[in-house]
Amino acid sequence: GKGEAARGPGRREGVMALVSAAIAALGADRRAEAKIVVPRRERSATYEERKRRMKEARAIRAEKQNQDYDALGPLVTLPSGVQYREIVSGSSSKGEDAQIGAVCDISYKVYRLAPGAYFKYSSGGTPIYMFSLGYGNEGKDDLGETFSFQLGSEASVPVALGNAIVGMRPGGVRRVLVPPALGWSGQDVRLAPDTFGGMRRLVNHKDEPLLVDVELVRTKPSTGELSAEELETFSPPEDAPFSLPAPPKPFSPDSLASNQ
């Protein structure tokens, strides 16, 4: 009896030791499972690899700009030297074509060009916004609004813009290059910004060539005859096109690389 009693505490201590060891081993296994395995970091790309990736990116960008360029209509040069591109041709089924003397309702966006810009591209392909009407820009509640004027009337729109609108079909959009002499420089026209920011931009840049995206919304019959003076002003003498660098066509990755 005494021998069993003597062995009792030792046996209990042994059992407890085994239990403790099992618990410790289980905890170790769980900690091992929970350990986050961080993959080895790959070596940074070499200089040659980075150059290859940049060349591929330029090639993709060049292809995209070529597609954008081809999507536009051909460059049209009027006798006055005014140039425009037909972006949307419009449809005669929506109304009469715009002719001198007709009343035209237009929406528009006016942009300026960055130094050294091309006819279509500036600031990496995006003209710099100045002011607009009819598109809800600058937080204005003017979506769908139009500017109404008699085509050819004095001081209604810049002469270059009026010249480019002739022949447009309702629903059509043209992008017009407006030279300073046939734009807002030195003449007051009714087509002007209706926000403080837009007016400030125009004052700062009216002596530069500007781009106008004009949409002919509708035409209406003439409201009266134009004077001989108005017709003379509307039809400036023949002149060479206003000179801006032509965009490289096709665009090449090398030409884009030189502008980085």
Side-chain angles (χ1 to χ4, degrees):
K2 291 183 179 179
E4 291 181 0
R7 290 194 298 269
R11 181 181 296 175
R12 285 196 298 271
E13 289 175 359
V15 171
M16 292 299 296
L18 290 173
V19 171
S20 298
I23 292 175
L26 181 61
D29 291 341
R30 288 183 177 176
R31 286 196 298 274
E33 291 176 2
K35 184 178 180 181
I36 299 175
V37 178
V38 180
R40 292 188 62 183
R41 183 178 178 182
E42 294 184 5
R43 294 182 59 186
S44 300
T46 63
Y47 175 71
E48 292 299 325
E49 177 66 14
R50 291 197 297 271
K51 280 183 62 177
R52 185 187 66 79
R53 292 176 182 175
M54 291 174 64
K55 186 175 181 179
E56 289 179 354
R58 286 196 297 268
I60 294 172
R61 180 181 169 194
E63 182 179 359
K64 176 64 169 60
Q65 289 195 347
N66 276 326
Q67 292 173 354
D68 291 345
Y69 184 86
D70 292 336
L72 294 177
L75 178 65
V76 177
T77 302
L78 301 176
S80 61
V82 173
Q83 295 182 320
Y84 70 84
R85 293 185 187 276
E86 191 98 37
I87 298 177
V88 179
S89 59
S91 173
S92 296
S93 64
K94 298 180 180 180
E96 297 293 329
D97 295 0
Q99 299 298 332
I100 296 177
V103 175
C104 300
D105 292 346
I106 62 172
S107 295
Y108 56 84
K109 299 175 186 176
V110 181
Y111 304 92
R112 69 180 177 88
L113 293 165
Y118 304 117
F119 177 36
K120 177 179 183 290
Y121 296 98
S122 69
S123 299
T126 305
I128 303 170
Y129 174 84
M130 289 183 61
F131 62 95
S132 64
L133 179 69
Y135 298 100
N137 293 320
E138 298 184 82
K140 297 191 300 179
D141 185 19
D142 68 347
L143 195 62
E145 289 189 17
T146 59
F147 176 82
S148 185
F149 69 103
Q150 185 179 17
L151 186 56
S153 61
E154 186 177 7
S156 55
V157 299
V159 173
L161 184 59
N163 276 219
I165 289 174
V166 174
M168 285 187 70
R169 298 173 178 176
V173 178
R174 286 180 179 176
R175 171 164 289 183
V176 187
L177 176 61
V178 179
L182 299 179
W184 284 268
S185 179
Q187 56 180 320
D188 293 325
V189 296
R190 289 198 298 114
L191 192 154
D194 57 2
T195 66
F196 174 78
M199 184 59 72
R200 183 177 59 183
R201 296 181 203 111
L202 180 60
V203 169
N204 291 337
H205 300 284
K206 66 180 181 178
D207 295 326
E208 305 171 10
L210 302 177
L211 288 180
V212 180
D213 283 354
V214 57
E215 176 184 358
L216 180 62
V217 177
R218 68 184 69 89
T219 59
K220 292 177 281 190
S222 173
T223 57
E225 294 294 326
L226 297 172
S227 67
E229 182 180 355
E230 286 178 315
L231 291 174
E232 183 179 359
T233 302
F234 186 77
S235 303
E238 293 189 9
D239 196 3
F242 183 78
S243 179
L244 273 181
K249 182 64 175 66
F251 293 97
S252 69
D254 292 337
S255 69
L256 292 174
S258 65
N259 292 326
Q260 298 299 313

